[in-house]
Amino acid sequence: MASLSWFDNLISSVLSRENVVAVVVFLIVTCLVRCYLTRRSFVNIPPGPRPWPVVGNFGGFFVPLAVRRRLGLQAADNVDTNIAQFLWEQTPLYGNVFSLFLGSQLIVVLNGYEAVRDALSNHPEVFSDRPDIPIISIMTKRKGIVFAPFGPLWKKQRKFCHTKLRKFGLGKLSLEPCILQGLATVKTELLQQNKNGGSAGVDLAPLISNAVSNVICSLVLGQRFDHGDHEFRTLLELMDRGLEICMSRPALLINIFPLLYHFPFGVFKELRQVERDITAFLKRIIASHRETLDAENPRDLVDMYLVEILDQKAAGEADSGFTEDYLFYVIGDLFIAGTDTTANSVLWILLYMVLYPEIQDKVQAEIDSVVGTQRVPSLTDKGSLPFTEATIMEVQRMTVVVPLAIPHMASETKEFKGYTIPKGTLVFPNLWSVHRDPAVWENPDTFNPARFLDKEGKLLRKECFIPFGIGRRVCMGEQLAKMELFLMVTNLLQAYKFRLPEGKPRPTLNGRFGLTLAPCPFTVCMTPRR
């Protein structure tokens, strides 16, 4: 563990356990006054439940489950698994557009396809900004691609990254060998684990995460990491843990009382250590690229960004926004976004395959009839595997790995659906609700890949299917993710029959809610198919 910084030491001495109570009381009183004054200023906002003092409507989230049950608050139990589902379940009470408070911060939740599409597609100039959420801002400094405010600098950075990544194959068939290389390693490792007693079940998560992450690492960092690389494996685990902490109860408290981030114990201390370790890893890579940079032959996105910094300085545009500091946050965003969401999507698909073996059989039969057993599936096979594609899409619909998207913010006061959305309001587009909306999906809670096929068995594209978001903040890596999902799923299902270990309980489909919705840990047994 790295030693605490001088500031952490200061906080540690000031916030000794004897002084914590006094500090908390002061913060509560301050928040009570601020909440009272803030809420009085809101007029004609969407309806919603009455907020608790200080913590707002997330008060029940901080009350232990056993206490909530004793108080008869069973409806809030869903918060322990999927907040997005819980918010969707409130629409009969408050409608598809309703208000919540996190402390004194107003949040407007958009439920259902029509409300989400209207806000993000028809009014992108208002609803494309990012809020200043304390826990996110502390760690990202509001820089990068994912969490940076909407504006000229963000547009410039996103356009640069998207353009340069395409030169290295983003969204193109030329990237297929890179993805297949990682898959070959996965299949080799799975075969070995299967020989070494696979009847007990294999945890697929580390292998899938490594393979997915190596694709973005090849594009951004110009290198791959071996599955046995301890530092890289630790980094992926830290990333997963950091995302989990960021959506935990303590993290929500940081958003109400930012000073809690510096508390010298518990998950607050752990979160700071996670941040330090990830920072050290990425900054070592930037330093290595700087020392070996050949401006005429850039190897990856980091090199191209460093070249851009030099070009901007040579042109006398030192304040252009292209700096090594900003590069660090860009890499962090791409690394996390390019790993966590796709890896979880692959794991969800494989989990559904073991829970619905008849669908797995049907997908494998289609792969066998189109691809055969003499070669591995390719992106060129995609159009000939409609049921396989429909199955992937249906799992994405059922799970939605980023169920609340990334929070948006109203950049100006806006009249929307008859209500006033004040400037600075957090806006949660509930993508979970979009994909469970009975207004656009028949029997939305039923797993049915056929809903994405027409009567002739051809793939149906539906505008209400938006797992990657919609509007100007749509996921930049959508095409890459689709390529990875198709190649990984088809290659693994061509090679193996997946099933549950004998005697083990059936895995839950509730998932673990962090910044993304990940499946709960599960193991599978595999039988080679060829």
Side-chain angles (χ1 to χ4, degrees):
M1 286 281 185
S3 60
L4 292 174
S5 68
W6 68 269
F7 186 71
D8 290 337
N9 284 322
L10 175 64
I11 293 295
S12 181
S13 61
V14 172
L15 297 180
S16 61
R17 293 185 185 274
E18 291 77 12
N19 294 331
V20 166
V21 173
V23 172
V24 170
V25 169
F26 172 76
L27 291 173
I28 288 175
V29 172
T30 302
C31 274
L32 280 171
V33 174
R34 188 173 66 180
C35 290
Y36 174 74
L37 294 176
T38 302
R39 288 172 190 159
R40 285 189 64 189
S41 66
F42 290 134
V43 178
N44 192 38
I45 63 173
R50 182 185 296 275
W52 291 32
V54 182
V55 294
N57 295 107
F58 288 80
F61 192 60
F62 304 110
V63 178
L65 180 59
V67 175
R68 293 208 306 272
R69 285 176 173 163
R70 184 178 290 272
L71 294 174
L73 301 175
Q74 290 88 350
D77 291 356
N78 287 332
V79 174
D80 283 328
T81 54
N82 188 335
I83 297 176
Q85 180 180 348
F86 174 71
L87 295 175
W88 173 232
E89 291 169 353
Q90 308 313 301
T91 55
L93 293 174
Y94 307 112
N96 282 342
V97 180
F98 64 86
S99 295
L100 297 171
F101 282 90
L102 178 60
S104 61
Q105 173 64 60
L106 173 63
I107 298 172
V108 169
V109 181
L110 306 177
N111 281 300
Y113 173 65
E114 197 279 330
V116 170
R117 180 196 56 79
D118 191 10
L120 302 189
S121 292
N122 295 341
H123 306 286
E125 71 286 350
V126 176
F127 295 114
S128 295
D129 211 351
R130 289 287 192 234
D132 185 359
I133 301 175
I135 189 170
I136 301 298
S137 297
I138 287 170
M139 293 188 291
T140 68
K141 307 301 184 290
R142 308 205 76 198
K143 297 178 180 180
I145 303 295
V146 177
F147 298 103
F150 184 76
L153 178 58
W154 174 82
K155 292 177 182 177
K156 188 189 302 183
Q157 296 284 338
R158 179 184 167 107
K159 181 179 180 180
F160 174 87
C161 291
H162 191 257
T163 301
K164 302 308 180 184
L165 285 173
R166 283 190 62 82
K167 288 188 176 181
F168 290 108
L170 181 69
K172 298 181 179 180
L173 286 174
S174 59
L175 194 60
E176 181 173 310
C178 176
I179 300 172
L180 293 178
Q181 182 181 348
L183 269 170
T185 302
V186 171
K187 289 192 284 188
T188 299
E189 185 68 25
L190 287 178
L191 185 62
Q192 188 59 44
Q193 291 189 31
N194 208 42
K195 290 179 179 178
N196 296 338
S199 59
V202 173
D203 180 7
L204 298 171
L207 287 170
I208 298 298
S209 181
N210 184 276
V212 171
S213 185
N214 265 322
V215 176
I216 199 67
C217 284
S218 297
L219 290 168
V220 177
L221 310 180
Q223 64 184 110
R224 303 180 65 88
F225 296 89
D226 185 78
H227 176 67
D229 187 309
H230 176 71
E231 185 179 31
F232 185 60
R233 184 72 257 148
T234 300
L235 179 71
L236 294 179
E237 292 170 357
L238 286 170
M239 182 182 67
D240 187 57
R241 177 59 179 154
L243 291 173
E244 189 175 357
I245 293 175
C246 282
M247 289 300 293
S248 66
R249 289 175 172 82
L252 283 180
L253 281 173
I254 291 173
N255 292 325
I256 301 171
F257 309 115
L259 192 61
L260 287 173
Y261 174 80
H262 300 285
F263 267 37
F265 44 77
V267 295
F268 308 111
K269 180 179 179 180
E270 182 185 2
L271 183 59
R272 293 198 310 277
Q273 187 62 52
V274 167
E275 182 186 3
R276 279 193 290 267
D277 291 343
I278 293 177
T279 297
F281 180 88
L282 295 180
K283 288 199 170 180
R284 280 198 303 272
I285 288 177
I286 293 175
S288 175
H289 276 68
R290 187 194 328 112
E291 293 166 3
T292 59
L293 178 65
D294 178 356
E296 299 301 321
N297 298 288
R299 297 158 293 188
D300 48 49
L301 180 67
V302 173
D303 273 2
M304 300 198 84
Y305 200 103
L306 291 174
V307 171
E308 184 69 17
I309 293 173
L310 295 175
D311 290 345
Q312 296 284 353
K313 287 182 178 179
E317 299 180 16
D319 59 348
S320 65
F322 284 86
T323 65
E324 283 196 22
D325 179 59
Y326 208 100
L327 171 60
F328 164 74
Y329 293 103
V330 167
I331 294 173
D333 279 357
L334 294 175
F335 184 71
I336 293 174
T339 300
D340 194 62
T341 53
T342 303
N344 282 330
S345 294
V346 173
L347 291 171
W348 273 119
I349 293 167
L350 293 176
L351 177 58
Y352 267 80
M353 292 302 92
V354 299
L355 295 179
Y356 292 87
E358 71 283 0
I359 300 297
Q360 181 180 178
D361 290 343
K362 197 168 180 180
V363 169
Q364 288 172 328
E366 184 179 64
I367 293 172
D368 290 347
S369 65
V370 172
V371 180
T373 60
Q374 301 305 309
R375 64 176 179 88
V376 297
S378 166
L379 290 169
T380 57
D381 297 313
K382 202 171 184 183
S384 303
L385 297 170
F387 186 79
T388 302
E389 270 279 272
T391 299
I392 293 171
M393 293 165 68
E394 177 69 346
V395 176
Q396 287 183 283
R397 184 192 71 82
M398 292 289 291
T399 54
V400 193
V401 293
V402 191
L404 288 176
I406 304 296
H408 291 235
M409 184 183 75
S411 56
E412 60 185 67
T413 299
K414 177 71 177 177
E415 294 298 314
F416 182 74
K417 302 294 185 185
Y419 302 111
T420 301
I421 312 296
K423 179 180 179 180
T425 299
L426 266 70
V427 178
F428 284 0
N430 190 348
L431 300 187
W432 173 276
S433 73
V434 171
H435 296 96
R436 298 298 181 104
D437 187 353
V440 293
W441 303 99
E442 184 179 355
N443 299 320
D445 295 326
T446 300
F447 178 61
N448 177 24
R451 74 174 74 247
F452 285 102
L453 299 172
D454 63 17
K455 293 180 180 179
E456 297 177 353
K458 296 180 180 179
L459 197 66
L460 282 175
R461 305 289 180 182
K462 300 191 176 186
E463 66 173 13
C464 51
F465 177 67
I466 52 171
F468 297 98
I470 193 173
R472 294 181 184 172
R473 287 283 187 167
V474 67
C475 175
M476 187 174 72
E478 178 177 352
Q479 294 306 315
L480 172 61
K482 288 179 177 178
M483 291 169 61
E484 290 183 281
L485 287 179
F486 177 80
L487 287 174
M488 289 190 172
V489 169
T490 54
N491 274 264
L492 290 173
L493 290 180
Q494 181 197 49
Y496 291 103
K497 171 74 174 178
F498 293 92
R499 57 183 173 79
L500 294 174
E502 295 291 338
K504 287 197 175 183
R506 179 184 175 91
T508 176
L509 288 174
N510 290 335
R512 294 179 294 124
F513 192 87
L515 190 60
T516 58
L517 184 65
C520 294
F522 67 97
T523 59
V524 296
C525 292
M526 301 154 298
T527 304
R529 300 185 66 240
R530 56 174 181 160

